[in-house]
Amino acid sequence: MGVGADLDRMDPLRTAAVGRRVNALFRAMSTDLLLREQFVTDPAQILSEYVDGSRLSPQRASALNQLVYAVAATTDVLLWVRSYALTYRETPVSRAQFMTDFGRAVTEKQAAHVVFALLRLSLEEEAMPVADGSLLQILNESGLFDGGPISGTEVSTGTQFGTEVSGTHMSTGAAVISGTEVSTGTQFGTEVSGTQVSTGPRLFSDQFVPAVEALVEYAGRLRDRGLLDSVGGQ
């Protein structure tokens, strides 16, 4: 995510301002379909232009986009980022500490696509603030992650951010619907089955759901087409 020229040196007021802009951008995308699609297909560039007021080079944007897509397409890593950000909501960590912890998590979860994206970033000549403690604070300032505990009875591969209704089998999320069967997956919303209502895992605040849902669905398609397997760029 290309927010800011040097996140390590951002002061608290700047961090709060950037977080507020991120929140405003996602709030706008919740109703603006065109802006949402621009974000989905070029998240690094849209964040840089709308939040930071600067434009990234195509090479830099592409490399950062690959990392965003890789994380979005890897449920375990996405869950880890949320947990880590909320854990250090009030206590910023250093860039070195975050990268060490992130690297360990990626290794433990065998997140190959994230590894490919990080390797690609390491080959880029431009310095890139891939992620650090300031970025975590920005994400928290923006209100991206829902601060409540993750509840629900099933979390598996796949993604769904909307509302699933069994019986009529209608879904506003990214679940695959085949005949009368709704595929299992990670659900970010509320599941209704007959007269039984259960709360599924909730990761993001309401205004972020439309854009994040679309981003994760698109990232999954890129992964399935093998477009996240390259270290040298797509």
Side-chain angles (χ1 to χ4, degrees):
M1 299 173 71
V3 180
D6 191 339
L7 293 177
D8 278 326
R9 289 196 292 267
M10 288 180 66
D11 62 52
L13 290 178
R14 169 67 173 162
T15 300
V18 172
R20 186 178 177 88
R21 292 174 194 170
V22 171
N23 187 297
L25 172 62
F26 277 83
R27 190 163 58 247
M29 288 192 292
S30 67
T31 57
D32 189 329
L33 179 60
L34 177 58
L35 179 59
R36 190 188 312 163
E37 288 305 304
Q38 290 175 327
F39 168 76
V40 166
T41 55
D42 197 355
Q45 196 68 266
I46 292 298
L47 281 169
S48 184
E49 290 183 357
Y50 281 80
V51 176
D52 201 43
S54 62
R55 185 167 181 80
L56 303 172
S57 69
Q59 294 81 8
R60 185 177 187 182
S62 180
L64 287 169
N65 284 340
Q66 184 169 341
L67 179 60
V68 172
Y69 294 140
V71 172
T74 310
T75 303
D76 286 345
V77 175
L78 194 60
L79 289 168
W80 181 89
V81 171
R82 174 192 184 272
S83 177
Y84 194 89
L86 293 178
T87 297
Y88 293 100
R89 171 174 281 177
E90 304 297 336
T91 309
V93 297
S94 67
R95 179 190 180 98
Q97 182 62 53
F98 174 80
M99 294 307 295
T100 297
D101 294 340
F102 183 68
R104 183 178 294 111
V106 169
T107 301
E108 291 175 349
K109 299 178 185 307
Q110 300 181 3
H113 295 108
V114 180
V115 173
F116 296 150
L118 290 172
L119 286 173
R120 182 181 177 189
L121 283 171
S122 72
L123 297 175
E124 293 291 328
E125 295 182 358
E126 294 182 77
M128 298 184 188
V130 177
D132 64 9
S134 296
L135 178 56
L136 293 177
Q137 293 306 110
I138 289 170
L139 294 178
N140 282 324
E141 287 283 354
S142 71
L144 171 64
F145 297 115
D146 180 79
I150 298 177
S151 59
T153 58
E154 180 177 0
V155 177
S156 61
T157 57
T159 53
Q160 179 175 335
F161 293 81
T163 300
E164 176 180 322
V165 182
S166 298
T168 56
H169 295 91
M170 298 179 62
S171 172
T172 60
V176 177
I177 302 176
S178 175
T180 58
E181 180 180 351
V182 179
S183 65
T184 60
T186 301
Q187 178 181 318
F188 302 86
T190 302
E191 179 181 333
V192 181
S193 178
T195 59
Q196 181 179 2
V197 178
S198 61
T199 302
R202 180 182 177 87
L203 303 189
F204 303 96
S205 301
D206 291 340
Q207 69 269 25
F208 290 88
V209 170
V212 175
E213 174 190 17
L215 175 67
V216 171
E217 182 180 11
Y218 184 68
R221 291 179 181 177
L222 294 178
R223 177 201 59 210
D224 294 342
R225 293 171 58 191
L227 297 179
L228 301 182
D229 294 335
S230 174
V231 173
Q234 298 177 22

